[in-house]
């Protein structure tokens, strides 16, 4: 009676109760349907016949939408003469027809070329077999990141600029297409004005530029910068039961061969390069089966958790193993973020599981180098210049960083050491908060970001400040982009002004609107904007905005099923140069997990 769909915990009875209150419904049953991507299907026994002009499902869908949030409105509808029953009078669920057999009854086909194009894009991005023009983006599992992908692909396909907010204000294909046809100049923008990726695997071993964020990480480890003398670095400890160290080592070497960026270095001239061949990676093993004391475990942690790698020396990661018992091994994983973002390391975890099961991974036909060169070429387009003009106009409006009561000036910190403070919101409270946010037209990330802004407002000397947001900005320029290891991270500078004495919901909605406006111009990274800001103020761009918000909500790669081993992350911490507070949020096992990685001093 309680299911979880697209991150929302749903009480089936709440939907059934709402349906039974409708005059056209005699009886109903609502179920979750599907294996990996679940949707709600409503079986309905009608009480009265409706006119031929409007279907029962459309009538009920519209009625529910007035009282329930989108994720509680069933996606599939089936009309029955009666619900099948067992001899004891209970509903015979096995006798219910599969919804696929009648899904087309509720499908409304595209009526124009624009709707046809959008329907194909939605089906691809939202992983649906078929999308009708009345289907709702949010009801199909849509969120901000998927919205960015849909708008980017629609802009390229239709040759016009589409404001990101349009999708959120018009969340069906019919409404979205109507806005585009009314406001956008279809075909006005030539294809070359959009990012174009050309696969060139033959040249992938040649040096290529760092991205903006990679360059910031590479330079930021220098002592010359405020809050420097530190590598941007991630560290975690993972306990594994049911796998041998030899198995993990073998699979790790397969992945090093598969993913170019696991063989990457940064040359002294600031160009990155993929090495054609590297030595076999061997895991160093410490046997703690007979002395698993905290001192021995912590000694490894102390050595690895704040490593600063030499960028020009392979590898830019280190993995060690400690035997804790005959069946349990702890893996200590340290990596320089120059070679990969959070999505990359989720991807590696999934591919490790697939290779352990003996699955064959499809070959990659593009390289991270191809993506970076496409991004560099895009900077010569009119579209990029328009994004730069937007940020140039906003420079004077960007307030400084939050003015927090620090124990010392950041410039006084010589050797930054980060500590992690963690908390969680249990699944029931998190579910309630998401439902409240949904009713206020706020995304989960939006409401948590607004909450963080409230905390900062409480402590900052000024209620207006700028936050540095981490974006996982993989442009959909090729189907394999999501399968690459690499640092696709970008940053975005978000201005916040909480000086007005209005409600939290109003502040959060205003903040989300500003975020969507800024995301439309994300082609220019926050690093670039910071450089322009530093140039205006005649300052070093080092630690101008050292308070960061990082959300990985809705960004988890689906886990692999049917694995014979267990894993548990028992410790993790991250550090970033020119930053003293990074607030990270994610969802694990239905709970909201929030971390503050902060410089202890």
């Amino acid at each position: 009676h309680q299911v979880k769909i697209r991150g929302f915990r749903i009480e089936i009875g709440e939907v059934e109760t709402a349906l039974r209150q409708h005059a056209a419904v005699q009886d109903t049953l609502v179920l979750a349907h599907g294996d990996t991507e679940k949707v709600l299907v409503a079986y309905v026994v009608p009480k009265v016949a409706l006119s031929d002009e409007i279907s029962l499902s459309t009538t009920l869908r519209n009625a529910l939408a007035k009282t329930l949030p989108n994720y509680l409105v069933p996606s599939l509808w089936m009309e029955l003469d009666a619900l099948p029953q067992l001899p004891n009078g209970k509903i015979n669920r096995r006798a219910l027809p599969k919804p696929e057999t009648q899904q087309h009854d509720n499908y409304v086909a595209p009526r124009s070329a624009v709707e046809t194009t959008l329907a194909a894009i939605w089906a691809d991005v939202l992983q649906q077999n078929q999308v009708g023009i009345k289907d709702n983006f949010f009801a199909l599992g849509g969120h901000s990141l998927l919205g960015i992908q849909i708008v980017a692909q629609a802009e390229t396909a239709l040759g016009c600029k589409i404001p990101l907010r349009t999708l959120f204000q018009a969340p069906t294909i019919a409404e979205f297409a109507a806005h585009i046809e009314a406001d956008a100049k279809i075909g006005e923008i030539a294809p070359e004005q959009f990012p174009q990726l050309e696969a060139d695997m033959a040249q992938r071993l040649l040096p290529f530029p760092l991205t903006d964020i990679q360059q910031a990480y590479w330079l930021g480890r220098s002592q010359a910068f405020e809050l420097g003398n530190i590598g941007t670095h991630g560290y975690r400890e993972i306990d594994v039961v049911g796998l041998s160290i030899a198995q993990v080592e073998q699979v790790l070497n397969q992945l090093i061969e598969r993913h170019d960026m696991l063989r990457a270095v940064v040359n002294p001239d600031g160009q990155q390069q993929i090495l054609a061949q590297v030595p076999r990676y061997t895991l160093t093993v410490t046997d703690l089966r007979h002395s698993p004391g905290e001192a021995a475990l912590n000694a490894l942690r102390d050595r690895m958790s704040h490593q600063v790698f030499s960028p020009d020396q392979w590898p830019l990661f280190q993995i060690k193993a400690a035997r804790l018992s005959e069946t349990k091994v702890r893996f200590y994983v340290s990596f320089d973020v120059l070679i990969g973002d959070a999505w990359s390391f989720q991807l590696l975890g999934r591919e490790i599981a697939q290779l352990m099961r003996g699955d064959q991974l499809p070959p990659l036909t593009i390289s991270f180098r191809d993506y970076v060169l496409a991004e560099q070429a895009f900077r010569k387009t009119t579209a990029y210049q328009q994004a730069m003009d937007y940020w140039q106009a906003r420079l004077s409006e960007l307030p400084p960083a939050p003015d927090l009561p620090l124990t010392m000036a950041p410039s006084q910190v010589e050797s930054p050491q980060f500590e992690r403070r963690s908390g969680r919101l249990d699944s029931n409270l998190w579910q309630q908060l998401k439902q409240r946010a949904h009713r206020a037209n706020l995304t989960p990330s939006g409401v948590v970001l607004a909450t963080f802004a409230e905390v900062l407002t409480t402590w900052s000397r000024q209620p207006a400040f700028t936050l540095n947001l981490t974006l996982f900005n993989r442009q959909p320029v090729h189907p394999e982009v999501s399968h690459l290891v690499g640092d696709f991270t970008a940053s975005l500078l978000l201005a916040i002004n909480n000086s007005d004495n209005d409600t939290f919901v109003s502040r959060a909605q205003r903040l989300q609107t500003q975020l969507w406006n800024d995301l439309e111009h994300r082609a220019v990274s926050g690093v670039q904007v910071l450089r322009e800001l530093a140039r205006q103020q005649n300052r070093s761009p080092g630690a101008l905005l050292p308070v960061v918000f990082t959300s990985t909500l809705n960004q988890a790669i689906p886990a692999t099923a049917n694995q014979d081993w267990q894993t548990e992350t028992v410790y993790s911490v991250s550090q970033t140069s020119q930053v003293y507070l990074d607030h990270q949020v994610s969802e694990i096992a239905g709970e909201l997990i929030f971390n503050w990685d902060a410089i202890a001093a």
Side-chain angles (χ1 to χ4, degrees), residues 575-593:
Q575 57 202 35
T576 306
S577 56
Q578 280 81 63
V579 168
Y580 65 68
L581 172 60
D582 184 0
H583 179 35
Q584 307 149 9
V585 295
S586 59
E587 183 175 312
I588 300 175
E591 296 186 321
L592 174 69
I593 307 299

Side-chain angles (χ1 to χ4, degrees), residues 555-574:
Q555 294 173 44
I557 295 177
T560 54
N562 304 320
Q563 63 184 43
D564 299 324
W565 60 91
Q566 294 84 44
T567 64
E568 180 186 4
T569 300
V570 294
Y571 180 84
S572 60
V573 69
S574 68

Side-chain angles (χ1 to χ4, degrees), residues 193-215:
Q193 290 295 314
F194 296 101
Q196 304 286 318
L197 185 145
E198 294 183 15
D200 190 2
M201 295 295 274
Q203 304 293 323
R204 76 183 196 277
L205 301 181
L206 295 180
F208 60 103
L210 296 168
T211 66
D212 285 346
I213 203 78
Q214 283 180 305
Q215 192 176 66

Side-chain angles (χ1 to χ4, degrees), residues 247 250-252 254-255 258-259 347-363 558-565:
Q247 284 177 295
Q250 179 181 350
V251 166
L252 177 60
Q254 288 178 262
L255 292 175
R258 171 177 170 80
H259 290 288
L347 172 68
L348 290 172
R350 178 179 175 84
E351 290 191 348
I352 285 173
Q354 290 173 311
L355 291 172
M356 288 290 183
R357 290 206 316 257
D359 296 349
Q360 293 294 317
L361 300 178
T560 54
N562 304 320
Q563 63 184 43
D564 299 324
W565 60 91

